Amino acid sequence: TSIKPIIDFHKKIENTQINDKIHVVENQEDIDSFDELIKQFQGKKVFVDIWGTWCGPCKKEFKQKDTYSELLKSKDIATLYICEGKKSKEKVWKEMIKFYNLEGYHILANEELLADIFEKFDNNGSFAYPRYLLIDENGKVVNSHASYPSKVGQLEKEINKDYEW
């Protein structure tokens, strides 16, 4: 029975059409810094989800997607998923985006981008996945430790407090 989830995962991927609300960031392999990435979202509020394909807690949070997606849509906030590209392989990354139907923008971070994110957002040399950020329309990080999507009520309070409305 331990193989059943794996079989279910692959069946779902095979039978799922690509959602047109899923976008891979253009020229993603050339983006080497967080600021360079965020510039592409000028004028938009952005919820950033930093995750890895191997990360159990990340996948657990994706199951809450429908709840927090509604909140973000109601506030006109874009979602940017940054997957670390060191341990996460491109094929698995694409399969997971499809499996969880992660609407929004996606990038598989190269080593330079990942190093820049760690430098900007680590906590005394440690970085835990998943990590959530709120970015304002000017590209400024207004919350570098936003709540997990499963705590949608708390996340909504942070959104209302951290952004200028």
Side-chain angles (χ1 to χ4, degrees):
T1 61
S2 63
I3 198 160
K4 187 173 177 350
I6 297 166
I7 293 168
D8 292 346
F9 176 86
H10 288 284
K11 272 189 185 157
K12 184 173 177 185
I13 290 169
E14 283 173 27
N15 298 322
T16 303
Q17 294 298 312
I18 294 287
N19 183 329
D20 65 355
K21 293 180 180 149
I22 294 173
H23 310 280
V24 173
V25 173
E26 284 185 41
N27 303 320
Q28 62 169 339
E29 54 284 335
D30 300 328
I31 297 173
D32 296 337
S33 77
F34 185 76
D35 293 342
E36 192 182 333
L37 173 60
I38 294 304
K39 265 190 199 131
Q40 297 190 21
F41 296 91
Q42 224 26 53
K44 291 182 184 171
K45 292 177 175 70
V46 184
F47 175 76
V48 178
D49 181 336
I50 304 171
W51 67 289
T53 58
W54 42 263
C55 169
C58 300
K59 293 183 250 188
K60 190 174 174 195
E61 290 298 314
F62 291 156
K63 293 176 182 168
Q64 309 294 325
K65 175 187 64 63
D66 293 342
T67 310
Y68 72 88
S69 297
E70 284 308 309
L71 167 65
L72 297 175
K73 278 180 196 159
S74 74
K75 302 280 185 182
D76 197 26
I77 299 171
T79 306
L80 170 62
Y81 295 93
I82 302 174
C83 182
E84 69 77 40
K86 213 173 194 172
K87 294 181 194 158
S88 299
K89 300 294 172 240
E90 187 171 2
K91 180 180 184 293
V92 178
W93 169 64
K94 287 180 176 174
E95 288 174 348
M96 289 182 74
I97 291 168
K98 194 173 176 183
F99 180 78
Y100 290 104
N101 195 27
L102 300 175
E103 293 180 357
Y105 297 88
H106 295 269
I107 184 167
L108 185 62
N110 64 28
E111 285 200 39
E112 292 81 2
L113 175 56
L114 199 57
D116 188 54
I117 288 170
F118 287 166
E119 191 178 306
K120 278 187 170 49
F121 303 112
D122 78 346
N123 186 13
N124 298 323
S126 75
F127 187 92
Y129 292 91
R131 177 73 175 272
Y132 305 98
L133 314 168
L134 296 175
I135 313 289
D136 74 9
E137 51 280 339
N138 302 310
K140 180 175 175 267
V141 177
V142 294
N143 187 332
S144 63
H145 283 282
S147 286
Y148 277 42
S150 56
K151 296 182 167 70
V152 74
Q154 181 59 33
L155 181 60
E156 185 170 15
K157 285 179 190 159
E158 292 167 8
I159 285 169
N160 290 332
K161 180 179 77 65
D162 296 332
Y163 287 125
E164 288 187 27
W165 296 98

